[in-house]
């Protein structure tokens, strides 16, 4: 289906979702709803095994559209707004398929939230990430920052709005690479195609497992993963993967 603020292409089991709201991909309510719809559909689409999220603007996403903020005078509007904000990131994080961020510029505030919801992150050398809500008199996003940064670094960013350059993010291991702009998409698509070549059943369980174990004790998490392994071992695609490995050939998987 056509979208106003997104471009969606699917090829070789890789979906590319491109943010496209000029000039800086500022997130308004309608754009958030499109993101939610697209990523929910990716979970069900058997022709998608990996998703790439990127932008066709000069930045990845400059954050929330401040002109779209609800009025505090209208009952219930802020609750609905905040729910949409939360679910935008949740739709990406909870997508049944792995999502790779290809960050081609600044990802700030809510834009950082989009990146933080992805499974794997690549960026151009010129990209910066930050949570500069304090610069417009607001405060939010510490819950996202703490997933990636030390206590001191998180608070420095949160209290000052510091935009961290991609080479520094690579140095501390937050992102996979800080690349020249012309190398970003080729490198990301190479990884996306590798992921898409794996058993679709296995990838679904792997994504579910990666999300669930984050908040579980190690003993319980590993026990759950063992249950996943048992369930996977009974699937036709897992049996095909084992046959192909023994026969030293490329597996032929069925869509799920």
């Amino acid at each position: 289906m056509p979208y106003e603020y997104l471009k969606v292409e699917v090829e070789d089991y890789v979906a590319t979702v491109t943010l496209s709201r000029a000039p800086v991909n500022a997130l308004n309510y309608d754009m958030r709803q499109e993101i939610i719809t697209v990523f929910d559909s990716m979970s069900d689409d058997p022709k998608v095994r990996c998703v790439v999220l990127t932008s066709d603007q000069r930045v990845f996403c400059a954050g929330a559209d401040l002109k779209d903020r609800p009025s505090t005078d209208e009952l219930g509007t802020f609750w609905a707004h905040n729910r949409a904000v939360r679910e935008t990131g949740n739709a990406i994080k909870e997508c049944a398929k792995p999502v790779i961020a290809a960050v081609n510029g600044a990802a700030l505030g809510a834009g950082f939230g989009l990146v933080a919801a992805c499974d794997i992150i690549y960026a151009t050398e010129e990209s910066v990430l930050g949570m500069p809500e304090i610069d417009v008199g607001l405060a939010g996003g510490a819950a996202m920052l703490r997933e990636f940064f030390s206590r001191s670094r998180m608070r420095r960013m949160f209290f000052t709005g510091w935009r961290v350059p991609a080479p520094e993010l690579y140095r501390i291991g937050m992102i996979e690479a800080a690349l020249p702009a012309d190398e970003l998409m080729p490198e990301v698509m190479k990884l996306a195609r590798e992921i898409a070549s794996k058993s679709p059943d296995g990838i679904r369980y792997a994504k579910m497992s990666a999300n669930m174990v984050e908040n579980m004790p190690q003993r319980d998490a590993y026990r759950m993963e063992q249950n996943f392994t048992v369930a996977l071992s009974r699937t036709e695609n897992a049996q095909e993967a084992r046959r192909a490995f023994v026969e030293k050939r490329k597996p032929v998987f069925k869509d799920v």
Side-chain angles (χ1 to χ4, degrees), residues 161-216:
W162 180 36
R163 295 152 169 80
V164 186
E168 170 66 6
L169 296 169
Y170 175 66
R171 186 188 71 81
I172 65 176
M174 180 191 162
I175 65 176
E176 291 299 300
L179 300 166
D182 61 349
E183 296 180 17
L184 177 65
M185 287 306 293
E187 195 68 22
V188 167
M189 295 305 293
K190 178 182 176 182
L191 176 62
R193 285 190 289 267
E194 179 182 356
I195 292 172
S197 73
K198 308 301 182 182
S199 163
D201 305 89
I203 287 296
R204 276 182 171 272
Y205 273 96
K207 176 64 184 280
M208 190 190 319
S209 178
N211 279 346
M212 293 178 69
V213 301
E214 286 183 347
N215 301 310
M216 296 176 67

Side-chain angles (χ1 to χ4, degrees), residues 102-117:
V103 183
N104 59 321
L108 305 174
F112 178 90
L114 296 181
V115 175

